[in-house]
Short mmCIF file of all heavy atoms in Angstrom, two decimals:
data_model
loop_
_atom_site.label_atom_id
_atom_site.label_comp_id
_atom_site.label_asym_id
_atom_site.label_seq_id
_atom_site.Cartn_x
_atom_site.Cartn_y
_atom_site.Cartn_z
N GLU A 1 3.47 -12.58 10.51
CA GLU A 1 2.78 -13.09 9.33
C GLU A 1 2.82 -12.12 8.15
O GLU A 1 2.37 -12.47 7.07
CB GLU A 1 1.32 -13.42 9.69
CG GLU A 1 1.23 -14.57 10.67
CD GLU A 1 -0.19 -14.86 11.12
OE1 GLU A 1 -0.75 -14.02 11.86
OE2 GLU A 1 -0.73 -15.89 10.74
N GLY A 2 3.37 -10.92 8.34
CA GLY A 2 3.60 -10.03 7.21
C GLY A 2 2.61 -8.90 7.06
O GLY A 2 2.34 -8.46 5.94
N LYS A 3 2.08 -8.38 8.15
CA LYS A 3 1.10 -7.28 8.06
C LYS A 3 1.75 -6.01 7.51
O LYS A 3 1.20 -5.36 6.60
CB LYS A 3 0.50 -7.02 9.44
CG LYS A 3 -0.28 -8.19 10.01
CD LYS A 3 -0.79 -7.90 11.40
CE LYS A 3 0.34 -7.76 12.39
NZ LYS A 3 1.12 -9.00 12.54
N SER A 4 2.87 -5.62 8.07
CA SER A 4 3.54 -4.40 7.62
C SER A 4 4.04 -4.55 6.19
O SER A 4 4.00 -3.61 5.40
CB SER A 4 4.69 -4.05 8.57
OG SER A 4 4.21 -3.83 9.88
N PHE A 5 4.54 -5.73 5.85
CA PHE A 5 4.99 -6.00 4.49
C PHE A 5 3.85 -5.80 3.49
O PHE A 5 4.02 -5.15 2.45
CB PHE A 5 5.53 -7.42 4.41
CG PHE A 5 5.87 -7.88 3.02
CD1 PHE A 5 7.08 -7.56 2.46
CD2 PHE A 5 4.97 -8.62 2.28
CE1 PHE A 5 7.41 -7.98 1.18
CE2 PHE A 5 5.28 -9.04 1.00
CZ PHE A 5 6.50 -8.72 0.45
N LEU A 6 2.69 -6.36 3.79
CA LEU A 6 1.54 -6.21 2.90
C LEU A 6 1.07 -4.77 2.85
O LEU A 6 0.71 -4.26 1.79
CB LEU A 6 0.41 -7.13 3.35
CG LEU A 6 -0.86 -7.05 2.51
CD1 LEU A 6 -0.58 -7.49 1.07
CD2 LEU A 6 -1.97 -7.90 3.11
N SER A 7 1.07 -4.08 3.99
CA SER A 7 0.62 -2.69 4.02
C SER A 7 1.47 -1.82 3.10
O SER A 7 0.94 -1.03 2.30
CB SER A 7 0.68 -2.15 5.46
OG SER A 7 -0.16 -2.90 6.32
N ILE A 8 2.78 -1.97 3.19
CA ILE A 8 3.68 -1.14 2.37
C ILE A 8 3.51 -1.44 0.89
O ILE A 8 3.34 -0.54 0.06
CB ILE A 8 5.14 -1.38 2.81
CG1 ILE A 8 5.36 -0.88 4.24
CG2 ILE A 8 6.10 -0.69 1.86
CD1 ILE A 8 6.71 -1.24 4.81
N ASN A 9 3.51 -2.71 0.54
CA ASN A 9 3.51 -3.08 -0.88
C ASN A 9 2.13 -2.93 -1.52
O ASN A 9 2.04 -2.57 -2.70
CB ASN A 9 4.03 -4.50 -1.04
CG ASN A 9 5.51 -4.59 -0.78
OD1 ASN A 9 6.31 -4.28 -1.65
ND2 ASN A 9 5.89 -5.02 0.41
N LEU A 10 1.06 -3.20 -0.78
CA LEU A 10 -0.26 -2.98 -1.34
C LEU A 10 -0.51 -1.49 -1.54
O LEU A 10 -1.10 -1.07 -2.55
CB LEU A 10 -1.33 -3.58 -0.42
CG LEU A 10 -2.77 -3.44 -0.89
CD1 LEU A 10 -2.97 -4.08 -2.26
CD2 LEU A 10 -3.74 -4.05 0.12
N ALA A 11 -0.05 -0.67 -0.60
CA ALA A 11 -0.18 0.77 -0.75
C ALA A 11 0.60 1.27 -1.95
O ALA A 11 0.12 2.11 -2.73
CB ALA A 11 0.30 1.46 0.52
N ALA A 12 1.83 0.75 -2.14
CA ALA A 12 2.63 1.14 -3.30
C ALA A 12 1.96 0.73 -4.60
O ALA A 12 1.97 1.46 -5.59
CB ALA A 12 4.02 0.53 -3.19
N SER A 13 1.34 -0.45 -4.60
CA SER A 13 0.65 -0.92 -5.80
C SER A 13 -0.55 -0.04 -6.13
O SER A 13 -0.79 0.30 -7.30
CB SER A 13 0.20 -2.37 -5.58
OG SER A 13 -0.52 -2.85 -6.69
N LEU A 14 -1.30 0.35 -5.13
CA LEU A 14 -2.46 1.22 -5.36
C LEU A 14 -2.02 2.60 -5.82
O LEU A 14 -2.66 3.23 -6.67
CB LEU A 14 -3.28 1.32 -4.08
CG LEU A 14 -4.03 0.05 -3.65
CD1 LEU A 14 -4.57 0.20 -2.24
CD2 LEU A 14 -5.17 -0.25 -4.62
N ALA A 15 -0.92 3.09 -5.26
CA ALA A 15 -0.42 4.41 -5.65
C ALA A 15 0.04 4.43 -7.11
O ALA A 15 0.00 5.48 -7.76
CB ALA A 15 0.72 4.84 -4.73
N ARG A 16 0.46 3.29 -7.64
CA ARG A 16 0.93 3.22 -9.03
C ARG A 16 -0.20 3.43 -10.03
O ARG A 16 0.06 3.73 -11.19
CB ARG A 16 1.60 1.87 -9.30
CG ARG A 16 2.88 1.65 -8.52
CD ARG A 16 3.97 2.61 -8.92
NE ARG A 16 5.16 2.45 -8.08
CZ ARG A 16 6.17 3.30 -8.07
NH1 ARG A 16 6.12 4.37 -8.83
NH2 ARG A 16 7.20 3.11 -7.28
N VAL A 17 -1.43 3.23 -9.62
CA VAL A 17 -2.56 3.42 -10.52
C VAL A 17 -3.28 4.73 -10.20
O VAL A 17 -4.51 4.84 -10.34
CB VAL A 17 -3.52 2.22 -10.45
CG1 VAL A 17 -2.88 0.99 -11.04
CG2 VAL A 17 -3.98 1.95 -9.02
N GLU A 18 -2.51 5.71 -9.74
CA GLU A 18 -3.01 7.07 -9.51
C GLU A 18 -4.08 7.14 -8.42
O GLU A 18 -5.01 7.97 -8.50
CB GLU A 18 -3.57 7.67 -10.81
CG GLU A 18 -2.57 7.70 -11.96
CD GLU A 18 -1.32 8.51 -11.62
OE1 GLU A 18 -1.44 9.50 -10.89
OE2 GLU A 18 -0.22 8.12 -12.10
N LYS A 19 -3.97 6.29 -7.42
CA LYS A 19 -4.86 6.36 -6.26
C LYS A 19 -4.11 7.05 -5.13
O LYS A 19 -2.92 6.77 -4.90
CB LYS A 19 -5.31 4.97 -5.82
CG LYS A 19 -6.10 4.19 -6.88
CD LYS A 19 -7.45 4.82 -7.12
CE LYS A 19 -8.26 3.97 -8.09
NZ LYS A 19 -9.59 4.57 -8.37
N LYS A 20 -4.80 7.94 -4.44
CA LYS A 20 -4.19 8.58 -3.28
C LYS A 20 -4.33 7.64 -2.09
O LYS A 20 -5.44 7.29 -1.68
CB LYS A 20 -4.88 9.92 -2.99
CG LYS A 20 -4.69 10.97 -4.07
CD LYS A 20 -5.15 12.34 -3.60
CE LYS A 20 -4.28 12.83 -2.45
NZ LYS A 20 -4.65 14.20 -2.02
N VAL A 21 -3.20 7.21 -1.57
CA VAL A 21 -3.17 6.16 -0.56
C VAL A 21 -2.48 6.68 0.69
O VAL A 21 -1.48 7.40 0.62
CB VAL A 21 -2.44 4.90 -1.08
CG1 VAL A 21 -2.56 3.76 -0.07
CG2 VAL A 21 -3.01 4.47 -2.43
N LEU A 22 -3.01 6.27 1.83
CA LEU A 22 -2.43 6.62 3.13
C LEU A 22 -2.23 5.35 3.94
O LEU A 22 -3.15 4.54 4.09
CB LEU A 22 -3.35 7.58 3.89
CG LEU A 22 -2.92 7.92 5.32
CD1 LEU A 22 -1.64 8.73 5.33
CD2 LEU A 22 -4.03 8.66 6.06
N ILE A 23 -1.01 5.18 4.46
CA ILE A 23 -0.72 4.08 5.38
C ILE A 23 -0.74 4.64 6.80
O ILE A 23 -0.05 5.61 7.09
CB ILE A 23 0.65 3.44 5.11
CG1 ILE A 23 0.76 2.97 3.66
CG2 ILE A 23 0.88 2.26 6.04
CD1 ILE A 23 2.14 2.44 3.31
N MET A 24 -1.50 3.98 7.68
CA MET A 24 -1.54 4.39 9.08
C MET A 24 -0.87 3.32 9.93
O MET A 24 -1.34 2.18 9.99
CB MET A 24 -2.98 4.63 9.54
CG MET A 24 -3.69 5.73 8.77
SD MET A 24 -5.29 6.16 9.49
CE MET A 24 -4.78 6.92 11.04
#
């Protein structure tokens, strides 16, 4: 259903606005 896809792209989107993001 796209869990890993959402994790990668949502994390990238948050990182673009100067948020420190960690994917586990």
